[in-house]
Amino acid sequence: MNTAAPQAPEQTQPTLQRPELLAPAGNWECAKAAVENGADAIYFGLDRFNARMRAENFTEADLPELMEYLHRRGVKGYVTLNTLIFPQELREAEKYLRTIISAGVDAVIVQDIGICRLIRHLSPDFPIHASTQMTITSAVGVEFAKSLGCNLVVLARECSLNQIDRIQYQIARSDASLPLEVFVHGALCVAYSGQCLTSEALGGRSANRGECAQACRMTYELIADGNEVELGDRKYLLSPQDLAGLEVLPELVKTGVSSLKIEGRLKTAEYVANVTRVYRQALDRAIASLSPEAPADSSLPKVDETKPNQYQVTNEEHYNLEMAFSRGISTGWFKGINNQELVHARFGKKRGVYLGEVTRIRNEQITVQLQAPVKPGDGVVFDCGHPETKEEGGRIYAVEHRGEDAILSFGRGNLNLRRIHVGDKIWKTSDPELDKQLRQSFNGENPQFQRGIDIEVYGEVGQGLRAIARDELGHVVQVQSEMPLVEAHSKPLTTERLRSQFNRLGNTPFYLNYFTNHISGNVMLPVSELNRLRRNIVENLEKLRSQPKRWQLNSNASYKDLLPISSDSSISSSPHLIVLVRNLKQLQAALSEGIETVYCEFEDPRNYREAVQIVRHYNLNIKTQKNQDIKTTIYVAPPRITKPGENYILPQVRSCDADGYIVRNYDQLKFFSADKCIGDFSLNIANPLTADYFKKLELERITASYDLNINQLEDLVKNCPPQWFEVTIHQHMPMFHMEHCVFCAFLSNGTDYTNCGRPCDKHEVKLRDRVGTEHILQADAGCRNTVFNGTAQTGAEYVQRLIAIGVSDFRIEFVNETPNQVTQIIQRYRQLLQGEITGSQLWRDLKLQSQLGVTRGSLEKNSLS
């Protein structure tokens, strides 16, 4: 909800901001496709440290040429450095950043907090964009990014229009105002970016390192209370439809966001051209519909003020977007949460445009009742409801129209007609004619997309004609004729004739927007001289625009300046076991084992008060019965995400009066700043620069990122005081953390928590993957779901190595274990820390006795560096 105070009728509405249109570029061809179809900026990765390592990506050597090309065309270029950086990579990251800054890149998109610190240490003015991987969902998150030196924030995709409005309202009334960027089109991650550990858990390919394995696009079975739920053809339970914000563009513009981002660095140049062109035209139309007072010479479409709503999405635009790439399209979370719409669950791969159902198969011809146009040469696929299997498809040879039906013919032998049935759905997956048009938009040497310039001319008889040109970026050039103006006895240089001459800008990056004639009297000048002036304007503007940005760069600065002073690991204390529980029965089991530090992460924070009372009562009993001052400390955890409108949850958590709090995000860092706090894994602490930043916020301890393998973890600890850290050595990896509620979507007909009937309170639910593992599904107080790996993993074999370098705090986490299992696992880990058993003995013992299927886990995975 937009909470801004309504303005009085006589007040002037603020001027609408035209958002930047930001397009993806995985290679040179994609960059050109974006530029020639109207992108204001592109973002691209280099060959290291970016979240799309499977893209072709550019190299450092490409940067000068690429930036010169972009700037000459009036387009900005942003480098993605949006992954976590490991300790041994800081030296290379610094060199990388120096290259990027020196090349005149317009900004770098960053996930890692330590890298934000390093950039600002190297350069006081080089722009930093906080990546969506930072999981910023609130005004406090924007404030946090600004404190790091960021110049723009990419909000989480899960923010609705109302929430964006609310964030804008809040930051405008604070010192934390920063431009905001949102994704407007493309694939949606079902998990919060920066909070997805699925690829890491299942295959050692971390999404936080650019190696997403797309497990969300796979099939899953829903198991409720031990029984499989019959869902028909809905198997892709975690695969969202693609985002298309075209429908809500005017509303997005009105929120005041500064940049609209198109996803797709793994997509083709045709995709980039297609989607960029659609949004360029639609965005200009949306701006025009909101700006009825646009100047007469404006390039924007004119608005008929008698019609209340000028903006509409055309059928052609909808068709083009579906043909570009589509798993089905929706407005994502822009309109709020609709769990029935976000995930249709029927397929997880590209489909395209829906043509209809097969109504007849005869004589190698297929009849369909058409829902969309089709022509010879188009490619189609037949959907029998099992997209996980090989599907029939091919190119159409001929089309015979009979009313609403079409009879499709294919090349002989191209289809196995025995695998196609009446009732199968047909999707158009390829349109060669459209692809040809799109390629023509960026093929060739001459610019296809032009940007407006304003020209004004001055002069009088006896003087040279002086022309001043300004582009949309503020560059100004001035040229003057080599011969003076003379009095015209016939055909003087009228405004119309001058405009016509200066408007001949074909094959240049420019078109003439405004022209102003300040010439005195009736004068003349040869056409050849006017042509020379026009050419000089173009040459001088291109030269001025293509000059690299000159950012400040401190040659003496180094990442080493930011490293914390590490302490002697030999003075560390005895190993200490910390237990995280997720229900009261597990808590009682942990207390019965004498655990001195316990963390609670419950779905309902209202239950924390009882948990605290249980611990306090336990401490009193211990003191009374055993006359011991040793007591158990209890910390409680708020939900991992905090969004506008959820401010009640944090006071509710604090009201339990726990000994301390587990902080997971920027809102919690601020809210609990006066309390004892532990920084959790979701803060993504992967290097000493990040660790140092969070420790300076007075956190008791910080939890190392789950993306680190044992060698990287050792590097982190050795470069910091080891007592800063606690290491999770036993857990069910929290793989997906998502706004999407599987309970609501598949166990109710509701759209969100207001009408779902809360099946999460009534059922124990698991998701069974293709290899038969049943992953645990839980909801939190914000109705967000976490999918926990059904197989627990352990770093037990590395505990002695970690103790040797000074780590003394080790965490084990439980999800759905019984009290007996909790007791058994605690006992084994206590024996491990006391040196009574080895890590391999623990691993084998638990695997044999408890049937938990424990694996060696993420600590042993090979480095991706």
Side-chain angles (χ1 to χ4, degrees):
M1 178 184 295
N2 186 349
T3 57
Q7 295 189 350
E10 66 271 12
Q11 288 182 306
T12 303
Q13 293 292 330
T15 303
L16 280 172
Q17 176 182 358
R18 178 192 290 269
E20 166 189 86
L21 184 61
L22 177 58
N27 54 42
W28 269 102
E29 192 174 45
C30 290
K32 192 171 182 182
V35 169
E36 298 299 355
N37 284 278
D40 297 310
I42 68 167
Y43 64 104
F44 56 92
L46 300 178
D47 48 5
R48 295 291 304 278
F49 308 133
N50 83 85
R52 290 293 182 271
M53 290 305 296
R54 289 183 292 131
E56 291 181 39
N57 291 315
F58 293 88
T59 67
E60 293 173 84
D62 292 324
L63 277 179
E65 182 183 357
L66 176 61
M67 294 313 301
E68 180 183 355
Y69 163 70
L70 293 173
H71 288 162
R72 188 170 66 248
R73 299 300 304 279
V75 175
K76 293 182 178 181
Y78 308 139
V79 169
T80 56
L81 206 159
N82 53 346
T83 62
L84 300 183
I85 306 300
F86 296 149
Q88 293 301 318
E89 296 171 332
L90 287 172
R91 182 189 303 274
E92 183 181 353
E94 179 185 319
K95 291 165 56 180
Y96 215 59
L97 286 167
R98 288 187 180 278
T99 300
I100 290 168
I101 296 169
S102 299
V105 168
D106 292 286
V108 66
I109 304 170
V110 180
Q111 174 187 15
D112 194 291
I113 286 165
I115 293 301
C116 290
R117 294 185 66 201
L118 177 57
I119 293 169
R120 200 45 75 234
H121 183 59
L122 296 174
S123 172
D125 62 347
F126 180 64
I128 306 170
H129 292 183
S131 170
T132 191
Q133 293 280 117
M134 275 197 188
T135 326
I136 293 176
T137 58
S138 68
V140 174
V142 177
E143 178 185 335
F144 179 84
K146 188 167 187 176
S147 73
L148 289 170
C150 295
N151 305 89
L152 175 145
V153 166
V154 188
L155 291 177
R157 293 172 174 90
E158 289 80 359
C159 290
S160 68
L161 288 167
N162 284 340
Q163 289 164 344
I164 295 168
D165 262 338
R166 197 177 280 195
I167 292 169
Q168 290 280 38
Y169 175 81
Q170 291 169 349
I171 64 176
R173 283 150 182 80
S174 71
D175 296 329
S177 184
L178 281 182
L180 302 181
E181 176 176 302
V182 298
F183 279 87
V184 72
H185 189 90
L188 281 177
C189 300
V190 75
Y192 273 91
S193 294
Q195 302 296 313
C196 182
L197 294 162
T198 315
S199 300
E200 169 74 11
L202 298 181
R205 296 171 50 185
S206 170
N208 282 326
R209 294 284 291 170
E211 295 286 347
C212 174
Q214 294 196 309
C216 53
R217 305 299 181 188
M218 305 301 178
T219 57
Y220 294 89
E221 295 170 338
L222 188 67
I223 310 299
D225 305 320
N227 299 310
E228 182 178 342
V229 179
E230 179 53 51
L231 295 174
D233 63 350
R234 297 193 297 167
K235 301 182 181 71
Y236 295 82
L237 308 185
L238 303 178
S239 181
Q241 298 192 77
D242 291 344
L243 170 65
L246 202 66
E247 178 186 328
V248 296
L249 266 187
E251 288 81 3
L252 269 173
V253 171
K254 286 191 284 188
T255 66
V257 295
S258 298
S259 181
L260 301 175
K261 188 174 199 169
I262 298 166
E263 181 276 338
R265 280 189 289 138
L266 293 172
K267 302 292 200 307
T268 65
E270 287 84 357
Y271 168 92
V272 174
N274 188 344
V275 178
T276 304
R277 180 169 67 177
V278 167
Y279 278 90
R280 173 77 279 154
Q281 294 172 355
L283 180 57
D284 289 348
R285 200 167 66 247
I287 294 284
S289 73
L290 297 170
S291 307
E293 295 157 6
D297 276 355
S298 171
S299 62
L300 298 176
K302 305 305 180 288
V303 174
D304 182 350
E305 296 184 33
T306 64
K307 297 181 179 179
N309 185 4
Q310 287 285 300
Y311 182 83
Q312 289 184 335
V313 179
T314 68
N315 291 334
E316 181 183 5
E317 288 170 337
H318 197 273
Y319 173 86
N320 285 356
L321 291 183
E322 287 195 313
M323 285 310 306
F325 191 97
S326 170
R327 299 178 179 93
I329 57 177
S330 77
T331 53
W333 287 282
F334 281 138
K335 293 182 179 180
I337 294 173
N338 185 334
N339 287 302
Q340 298 300 333
E341 180 181 277
L342 184 75
V343 175
H344 57 62
R346 289 177 171 83
F347 47 83
K349 57 186 176 182
K350 176 183 176 180
R351 277 307 190 211
V353 172
Y354 179 60
L355 292 181
E357 288 189 0
V358 174
T359 58
R360 188 178 185 185
I361 304 171
R362 185 178 181 185
N363 297 331
E364 298 193 355
Q365 292 180 321
I366 296 172
T367 303
V368 58
Q369 188 171 2
L370 279 183
Q371 306 291 317
V374 68
K375 58 188 177 301
D378 288 346
V380 298
V381 66
F382 293 88
D383 175 3
C384 64
H386 293 281
E388 70 277 10
T389 63
K390 185 179 183 300
E391 297 177 315
E392 287 297 313
R395 295 211 174 272
I396 296 171
Y397 179 75
V399 180
E400 180 183 347
H401 291 279
R402 293 185 180 177
E404 294 182 351
D405 289 347
I407 301 174
L408 310 181
S409 300
F410 296 81
R412 185 175 296 276
N414 285 357
L415 294 179
N416 182 352
L417 294 175
R418 288 176 296 179
R419 299 186 69 238
I420 300 172
H421 313 89
V422 171
D424 286 357
K425 293 178 171 61
I426 307 181
W427 302 86
K428 185 197 290 193
T429 56
S430 171
D431 183 341
E433 185 177 305
L434 175 61
D435 287 344
K436 182 180 178 182
Q437 295 172 4
L438 293 169
R439 290 206 69 81
Q440 288 173 347
S441 74
F442 59 88
N443 273 345
E445 296 300 319
N446 293 327
Q448 309 250 357
F449 186 87
Q450 297 175 306
R451 298 184 182 271
I453 59 173
D454 303 335
I455 298 176
E456 49 191 282
V457 294
Y458 299 82
E460 58 185 55
V461 172
Q463 296 180 350
L465 185 148
R466 183 163 51 98
I468 299 173
R470 292 177 173 83
D471 69 7
E472 82 286 4
L473 300 174
H475 298 111
V476 180
V477 299
Q478 178 174 299
V479 297
Q480 186 161 328
S481 64
E482 294 178 350
M483 56 184 70
L485 293 163
V486 298
E487 188 173 351
H489 299 291
S490 63
K491 297 183 178 180
L493 290 177
T494 64
T495 298
E496 288 71 25
R497 289 185 64 194
L498 285 165
R499 187 198 308 274
S500 176
Q501 286 298 318
F502 282 102
N503 196 30
R504 296 181 179 180
L505 293 166
N507 298 335
T508 79
F510 309 111
Y511 69 87
L512 182 60
N513 189 20
Y514 295 103
F515 179 81
T516 310
N517 180 11
H518 296 285
I519 293 176
S520 301
N522 293 327
V523 297
M524 63 174 293
L525 197 70
V527 169
S528 59
E529 185 66 1
L530 291 175
N531 290 341
R532 188 186 67 80
L533 290 175
R534 186 184 67 245
R535 288 193 297 271
N536 282 352
I537 285 173
V538 171
E539 291 169 4
N540 290 345
L541 268 180
E542 284 191 307
K543 182 178 180 182
L544 198 60
R545 288 156 69 99
S546 62
Q547 290 178 1
K549 297 283 180 67
R550 298 298 181 189
W551 307 111
Q552 297 179 52
L553 187 56
N554 185 348
S555 60
N556 297 318
S558 166
Y559 76 93
K560 294 179 181 179
D561 305 332
L562 302 176
L563 291 175
I565 299 173
S566 57
S567 59
D568 187 353
S569 63
S570 64
I571 61 173
S572 62
S573 58
S574 300
H576 178 223
L577 190 63
I578 300 164
V579 173
L580 183 145
V581 298
R582 289 190 165 88
N583 58 55
L584 292 172
K585 290 181 179 179
Q586 290 178 348
L587 174 62
Q588 294 280 15
L591 292 176
S592 69
E593 286 300 311
I595 293 298
E596 295 178 14
T597 305
V598 64
Y599 297 164
C600 292
E601 182 182 359
F602 295 170
E603 176 185 345
D604 189 347
R606 290 173 295 187
N607 292 332
Y608 286 151
R609 186 180 297 275
E610 183 178 357
V612 171
Q613 290 172 348
I614 288 172
V615 172
R616 299 274 157 80
H617 184 68
Y618 167 81
N619 288 336
L620 283 174
N621 284 343
I622 289 291
K623 188 170 184 179
T624 302
Q625 296 174 11
K626 299 185 179 180
N627 196 26
Q628 294 180 350
D629 287 331
I630 298 173
K631 69 173 186 177
T632 294
T633 303
I634 179 171
Y635 290 72
V636 300
R640 215 193 299 184
I641 300 296
T642 307
K643 293 175 77 175
E646 299 176 356
N647 298 337
Y648 68 93
I649 294 179
L650 299 186
Q652 190 178 78
V653 170
R654 179 185 268 158
S655 69
C656 74
D657 193 28
D659 296 309
Y661 303 90
I662 313 298
V663 295
R664 278 89 173 275
N665 62 41
Y666 316 120
D667 289 78
Q668 295 163 17
L669 282 167
K670 182 176 181 178
F671 184 84
F672 295 107
S673 60
D675 302 292
K676 285 187 175 182
C677 291
I678 307 296
D680 207 4
F681 71 92
S682 54
L683 297 177
N684 284 325
I685 298 168
N687 61 63
L689 273 58
T690 303
D692 181 65
Y693 186 85
F694 281 114
K695 275 299 292 179
K696 285 177 178 175
L697 298 180
E698 303 300 324
L699 298 177
E700 298 285 306
R701 290 185 301 279
I702 51 181
T703 310
S705 166
Y706 292 168
D707 286 285
L708 299 171
N709 68 21
I710 182 59
N711 295 324
Q712 293 152 354
L713 181 57
E714 286 179 320
D715 289 338
L716 175 61
V717 173
K718 288 176 181 177
N719 281 282
C720 301
Q723 64 269 22
W724 283 6
F725 298 99
E726 64 182 53
V727 176
T728 304
I729 54 172
H730 177 98
Q731 63 170 322
H732 294 266
M733 184 74 83
M735 302 190 301
F736 298 102
H737 188 66
M738 51 196 182
E739 195 76 32
H740 171 51
C741 182
V742 174
F743 295 95
C744 176
F746 300 104
L747 293 176
S748 85
N749 294 318
T751 57
D752 61 16
Y753 75 96
T754 64
N755 54 23
C756 69
R758 294 197 61 82
C760 54
D761 291 339
K762 305 167 186 173
H763 302 285
E764 180 181 304
V765 172
K766 296 181 180 180
L767 301 182
R768 182 188 292 150
D769 66 19
R770 295 179 301 166
V771 298
T773 303
E774 294 185 0
H775 303 292
I776 306 154
L777 184 72
Q778 291 193 352
D780 68 14
C783 287
R784 295 177 188 100
N785 287 189
T786 302
V787 179
F788 293 91
N789 194 337
T791 304
Q793 63 183 42
T794 179
E797 292 182 47
Y798 307 103
V799 165
Q800 294 305 320
R801 286 171 60 175
L802 293 170
I803 291 174
I805 60 173
V807 177
S808 58
D809 293 287
F810 296 92
R811 187 198 300 184
I812 61 176
E813 293 194 357
F814 298 105
V815 179
N816 63 344
E817 286 85 352
T818 66
N820 285 339
Q821 290 171 325
V822 169
T823 297
Q824 182 187 31
I825 293 169
I826 289 174
Q827 290 172 353
R828 292 296 181 271
Y829 277 98
R830 182 170 278 143
Q831 289 176 306
L832 175 72
L833 295 186
Q834 293 171 351
E836 296 173 3
I837 62 173
T838 66
S840 58
Q841 283 177 312
L842 179 144
W843 176 71
R844 289 194 298 268
D845 189 24
L846 288 181
K847 184 179 180 182
L848 291 172
Q849 291 188 26
S850 67
Q851 301 299 306
L852 292 177
V854 178
T855 68
R856 286 174 169 80
S858 61
L859 290 182
E860 75 162 0
K861 290 169 185 169
N862 292 328
S863 171
L864 295 171
S865 60

